[in-house]
Amino acid sequence: MYRIGKEEIEEVAKVIESGNMFKINDALHETEACEEKIRGLFGVKRSLLVTSGFAALTSALVGMGIGPGDEVIVPAYTYIATVMAVVAAGAIPVIADIDATYTIDPDKIEEKISPRTKAVIPVHIQGFPCNMAAICALSEKYGFQILEDACQADGGSYRGKRLGSIGKAGALSFNQFKVISAGEGGAVLTDDDAVYERALIYHDASAIAFFGNQLDGINEPQFCGAEYRTNEIAAAILRRQLEKLDGILTDLRRNKAYLTGLLKEKFAIGPSNDLAGDCGTTLPVVFETEAEARAFSAKVGTGNYLPIDTGKHIYNHWTAILEQRGAFHPLMDPFKFPANAPYVPDYKAEVYPVTLDLLARTVFLFPSPDWTQAEMQKIAQTVL
Ligand SMILES: Cc1ncc(COP(=O)(O)O)c(C=O)c1O
């Protein structure tokens, strides 16, 4: 989260003064307004505000009809929530390595495709757009669905299309650490009515039939699901944050480009599938060895790290997945379902060499949209 202040405070005050914080109300209709804004900004037909990125991913997978007996390919480098969403839908995550862009390698996806592959989740990690052209071509060839995890890439784009709007569905996150934030929050994006309807029912299964006319025009039957309903305070904050989104991205991209310009004569900068659409939140500096990366990191001092050190974003730290505990009760554990059990990978034995090697030889710098050129020159001087 980069820019939040009095505008959001004013919106929150209005919601509280209205006395209506529930999303279905006769007052400000912030949730509806926010969803409409998302549809316009992201160029999608349907949008659903939910409580988190995980809720968005899980609702989208349920919307897409993913479940037991299905495999979903995920990258070895992502936040564990991506992988847990697959398990929450009852399916089996199949891990594929990344390439030099830090995003899932389309060739490695192809190697992992089986008759059970029903979906692939390209993750636009650190705001880096995935190679969507290659992934879409594979989707056409093999018939799997694409769910874009754009949780770390709110507002970014690939070849002019917003991340999250290219696949069958997309997921955004608005937690504290994302491009825009309401503290917590998420959104499902899709053009597909059936995906939307099933996600809608799943995300608020107990309330959907009882509040407002949410089921008007909905064809999918009701089923038991979760409670990932948003609220008017979060929606009001987000509506205002969405107005700031493109300004934040413009400034992030400008500053990333400027800092890149200062460093690129001396250092290798990680390649991008679409630099114009990259969110600009992260500048990857790549070295031949981990020792060189660590020396660079130490010189820069604060505000940088080697991605290998983040732990939770790397497959070999996904404890619940590695140990195959897919639920709170063994009989509800997708890893033990008869439809899945024969196909569960031995995650502990798997090694993804590009992920481990590249993340250990990389230093991420994190441009601020508000840095001045002088501030960036100062950072560059520490290493030049
Ligand atoms: C790539 C990725 N996917 C999913 C999530 C889950 O988002 P949330 O924390 O909003 O549930 C995150 C959150 O950090 C993420 O980075």
Side-chain angles (χ1 to χ4, degrees):
M1 186 269 299
Y2 295 98
R3 292 173 180 162
I4 196 159
K6 65 173 174 25
E7 298 86 2
E8 287 79 5
I9 293 171
E10 281 164 14
E11 303 298 348
V12 169
K14 283 186 216 158
V15 172
I16 293 173
E17 281 159 11
S18 80
N20 253 308
M21 292 179 284
F22 193 72
K23 78 174 244 192
I24 307 295
N25 61 69
D26 293 325
L28 299 176
H29 305 280
E30 284 290 359
T31 304
E32 284 166 44
C34 188
E35 287 175 343
E36 191 182 333
K37 199 158 195 57
I38 289 173
R39 287 193 292 278
L41 206 53
F42 287 78
V44 289
K45 199 173 143 201
R46 301 291 209 163
S47 66
L48 179 67
L49 211 53
V50 295
T51 47
S52 69
F54 171 81
L57 288 165
T58 310
S59 302
L61 287 166
V62 170
M64 288 157 62
I66 304 299
D70 298 339
E71 291 176 356
V72 179
I73 300 178
V74 299
Y77 176 41
T78 184
Y79 186 50
I80 189 173
T82 314
V83 195
M84 285 188 167
V86 174
V87 181
I92 292 302
V94 171
I95 305 171
D97 213 344
I98 59 169
D99 63 21
T101 67
Y102 303 89
T103 61
I104 195 163
D105 183 338
D107 291 337
K108 299 291 164 46
I109 292 177
E110 195 160 19
E111 283 171 19
K112 290 293 178 104
I113 287 171
S114 84
R116 296 170 299 283
T117 307
K118 290 289 158 34
V120 171
I121 307 185
V123 180
H124 307 295
I125 193 100
Q126 299 292 149
F128 306 142
C130 294
N131 183 348
M132 293 307 295
I135 297 166
C136 290
L138 289 174
S139 155
E140 295 260 307
K141 185 171 168 190
Y142 293 101
F144 59 74
Q145 303 179 77
I146 297 172
L147 167 59
E148 293 177 77
D149 181 338
C151 288
Q152 294 194 9
D154 299 332
S157 59
Y158 175 81
R159 298 189 182 172
K161 284 203 86 182
R162 296 274 188 185
L163 303 176
S165 74
I166 301 163
K168 183 90 163 188
L172 306 176
S173 167
F174 308 119
N175 79 21
Q176 171 73 21
F177 312 103
K178 302 306 187 259
V179 181
I180 54 172
S181 179
E184 297 285 0
V188 179
L189 313 175
T190 187
D191 285 334
D192 188 295
D193 289 339
V195 171
Y196 168 77
E197 290 185 12
R198 285 175 55 82
L200 176 78
I201 293 165
Y202 176 75
H203 103 288
D204 194 12
S206 77
I208 206 79
F210 301 118
F211 291 94
N213 50 7
Q214 296 184 82
L215 288 178
D216 282 6
I218 298 294
N219 296 312
E220 293 290 324
Q222 289 178 62
F223 51 87
C224 296
E227 288 297 350
Y228 294 143
R229 186 177 58 239
T230 190
N231 67 79
E232 289 285 275
I233 290 185
I237 296 172
L238 272 175
R239 190 174 51 71
R240 203 61 192 81
Q241 285 275 286
L242 286 163
E243 283 164 21
K244 298 181 179 179
L245 180 59
D246 279 336
I248 293 168
L249 290 170
T250 299
D251 293 348
L252 280 167
R253 287 171 179 149
R254 184 198 58 233
N255 284 353
K256 175 172 173 174
Y258 186 78
L259 189 54
T260 300
L262 296 177
L263 298 175
K264 72 173 188 225
E265 294 301 319
K266 195 162 168 203
F267 300 101
I269 308 299
S272 171
N273 289 309
D274 184 340
L275 202 51
D278 175 278
C279 290
T281 57
T282 313
L283 199 174
V285 189
V286 195
F287 298 87
E288 295 283 318
T289 65
E290 179 169 349
E292 286 174 82
R294 293 212 178 275
F296 177 93
S297 170
K299 271 193 192 169
V300 176
T302 54
N304 77 90
Y305 59 69
L306 276 67
I308 197 76
D309 293 338
T310 69
K312 61 186 182 292
H313 293 97
I314 304 168
Y315 71 94
N316 54 4
H317 292 261
W318 300 339
T319 307
I321 303 295
L322 297 178
E323 297 180 1
Q324 296 182 14
R325 272 186 299 281
F328 53 89
H329 189 290
L331 294 180
M332 295 184 77
D333 185 345
F335 291 127
K336 298 183 178 61
F337 290 168
N340 289 332
Y343 311 110
V344 177
D346 182 2
Y347 299 109
K348 273 188 183 165
E350 294 182 346
V351 177
Y352 294 96
V354 180
T355 296
L356 296 181
D357 172 59
L358 183 62
L359 300 188
R361 292 187 291 110
T362 295
V363 176
F364 282 163
L365 303 175
F366 303 101
S368 159
D370 301 317
W371 275 347
T372 62
Q373 291 193 351
E375 284 171 302
M376 288 184 273
Q377 285 161 11
K378 217 168 143 194
I379 293 167
Q381 274 157 19
T382 62
V383 288
L384 289 172

